[in-house]
Amino acid sequence: MNFVNRHITDPGDTVRVAAQPLRSRRHKWPVRYDSIEHVALGIDIATIFVAGVLSTLLYQVQNNGGNSGNAFSLTLVSSACFVSLLKSHGLYRPTELLVVRNQIRAICMAWTFLLLLVWAASGFKVHLEYSPELLFAVCGLALLIAQRGAVKVLLAKGLSGRRFANTNIVLISDQPLSKSAGLSETLAIQGFCVKGRFSLPPIGSGPALRRRISANVIDYIRNIELNAVVLEAAPERWSELRAFVADLRVVPFPIMFVPVGTASEWVRHPLRSLGSAICAELQRGPLTAVECAGKRMIDLVGAGLALMILAPGIAAAAIAIKLDSAGPVFFRQKRCGFNGQIFSIRKFRTMHVLEDGPVIIQATPIDPRVTRVGKWLRRTSFDELPQLLNVLDGSMSLVGPRPHALSHDGQFGKLVRNYAFRRRVKPGLSGWAQIHGCRGPTPTADMIERRVQYDLWYIDNWSLRLDLAILIRTPIEILRGRNAC
């Protein structure tokens, strides 16, 4: 590989320009990395229009040119709503497009929701038998899923082969060359061509040195093709950086700041408005009123439907428990819920004992306390179904961190520092940890910590879409039976 070496000499040795590889333009694609989101959005619109045309043609062929309805309006509305849904959830970002499984799940959910919405808006007049609308629904979903696979392959190929069109930048950094090499390499993979690298003056340097370096940068920029200036530095020295950026305002290019160091962590948090001030949300607060209403609606509808559908099985389990061993059908135990509030959890009794005190021994795979019926109930998680009543009364949710006995809470809180953070949301019947196999007893600190990590990730990334995904995957995990005891 050939390199063009560029050097700008400076008495203080404060300016360095990195060597850049010479790459033939014919190997580059006419798309920049920062344009991928818009390209993917356009491809989705085109795919939905192709699905509309294809479904119309298929219907007319099958029906000898029969009326295909207002296919164009359906296609137009569907494409606009679909891309808006995915765009609002950030699913067109390149990093998201590379995760095909998440993309397919999101496409299926958004497409189903959209078609149900269109069906409801039409006054439920769309027939489920062979119709243009049904053809459009099937063709659209199939083409979108197939297209996502192709997009992932092309995107991965573009990144690995550095095929994206060059975005020429100048990098100004206060980091040593060895430390900034990681940023330069990442930018190069994504099609950013570092035309020159300049070193910022040391902390505490006078304005004369700052002005000399900024003048060198400006002179260099005016003699090359450029798209942006990237400033990489520690936020702690912002007062000096502000003056340096002010010197560069004469150049007609965007100036982007990449923070480094420990103080840069706050940039990774979402920004919020606090009156007229802008602040970083270091910890996500409780759900908003709208989010709470949506989650509560899912809880009420889901728990109500589950109780009606599973009523015969619940009755059979109650009879089997009563016939199998002496004692009550249901078992209540104190648990810690949202914001540390204590509530009584309901379960089917699966043991000969009813432990609810300062010392509770976790169940083991071979536990003499477990009844014959209880073994089956615990393995299938059927013993948890009475907690649907907890969901209806509002002490629990369908999805959330699983609550533990009060005595276990005290033990786990000493082992895992962030254990109490799980109480920022209502406990759930199922959760992100459970669909990843974190079920049953937790005899080691590592198992507890792993479960807590899943729970905290769920809390920080909560969405209605995530709740629905967990509810869909829960029956699959129950059938797998991982770690059930």
Side-chain angles (χ1 to χ4, degrees), residues 197-216:
R197 183 189 186 281
F198 292 78
S199 294
L200 285 166
I203 296 176
S205 300
L209 180 58
R210 186 203 77 225
R211 284 193 291 266
R212 187 166 75 246
I213 295 176
S214 61
N216 286 339

Side-chain angles (χ1 to χ4, degrees), residues 186-201:
T186 301
L187 293 173
I189 291 173
Q190 297 172 354
F192 292 89
C193 180
V194 182
K195 303 294 285 187
R197 183 189 186 281
F198 292 78
S199 294
L200 285 166

Side-chain angles (χ1 to χ4, degrees), residues 196-438:
R197 183 189 186 281
F198 292 78
S199 294
L200 285 166
I203 296 176
S205 300
L209 180 58
R210 186 203 77 225
R211 284 193 291 266
R212 187 166 75 246
I213 295 176
S214 61
N216 286 339
V217 173
I218 293 168
D219 289 340
Y220 181 72
I221 286 175
R222 284 174 173 166
N223 295 313
I224 62 170
E225 256 184 57
L226 197 69
N227 299 106
V229 177
V230 177
L231 182 64
E232 180 193 32
E236 291 92 337
R237 58 182 304 186
W238 180 247
S239 58
E240 298 177 24
L241 296 175
R242 185 167 46 193
F244 188 84
V245 171
D247 293 341
L248 299 181
R249 293 195 180 210
V250 296
V251 298
F253 302 108
I255 300 175
M256 295 176 285
F257 178 55
V258 179
V260 296
T262 55
S264 66
E265 294 180 2
W266 67 270
V267 183
R268 303 179 186 275
H269 296 273
L271 297 180
R272 298 284 185 265
S273 296
L274 188 64
S276 59
I278 301 296
C279 62
E281 187 181 63
L282 302 181
Q283 174 177 300
R284 179 171 180 169
L287 307 184
T288 65
V290 175
E291 291 171 338
C292 284
K295 189 171 176 65
R296 185 62 179 152
M297 182 68 69
I298 292 176
D299 286 344
L300 291 174
V301 173
L305 286 175
L307 283 172
M308 287 190 293
I309 295 171
L310 298 173
I314 292 173
I319 295 172
I321 293 170
K322 202 66 180 173
L323 294 175
D324 180 56
S325 60
V329 171
F330 295 106
F331 166 56
R332 290 173 179 264
Q333 192 177 67
K334 297 295 183 183
R335 300 286 172 98
C336 194
F338 173 70
N339 199 26
Q341 297 173 357
I342 306 301
F343 71 98
S344 292
I345 197 170
R346 301 173 176 93
K347 299 181 69 174
F348 278 127
R349 182 177 59 82
T350 59
M351 293 185 175
H352 297 287
V353 296
L354 301 172
E355 295 178 339
D356 187 17
V359 178
I360 298 177
I361 302 173
Q362 288 188 327
T364 59
I366 303 176
D367 197 318
R369 297 173 301 167
V370 179
T371 64
R372 289 174 299 177
V373 172
K375 291 179 182 178
W376 179 84
L377 293 175
R378 297 176 73 90
R379 180 161 294 278
T380 59
S381 295
F382 212 83
D383 62 319
E384 311 286 356
L385 286 182
Q387 290 163 42
L388 291 169
L389 299 174
N390 286 104
V391 175
L392 290 178
D393 69 25
S395 57
M396 290 181 64
S397 176
L398 286 177
V399 180
R402 286 292 299 159
H404 299 116
L406 295 183
S407 63
H408 296 158
D409 275 342
Q411 298 172 20
F412 298 161
K414 295 176 183 177
L415 293 173
V416 181
R417 184 179 50 141
N418 298 332
Y419 180 80
F421 293 177
R422 302 164 72 252
R423 297 168 190 156
R424 284 154 42 198
V425 298
K426 287 183 181 180
L429 192 59
S430 181
W432 187 243
Q434 280 63 50
I435 64 171
H436 284 88
C438 296

Side-chain angles (χ1 to χ4, degrees), residues 80 183 262 463 471:
L183 176 62
T262 55
S463 68
L471 290 174

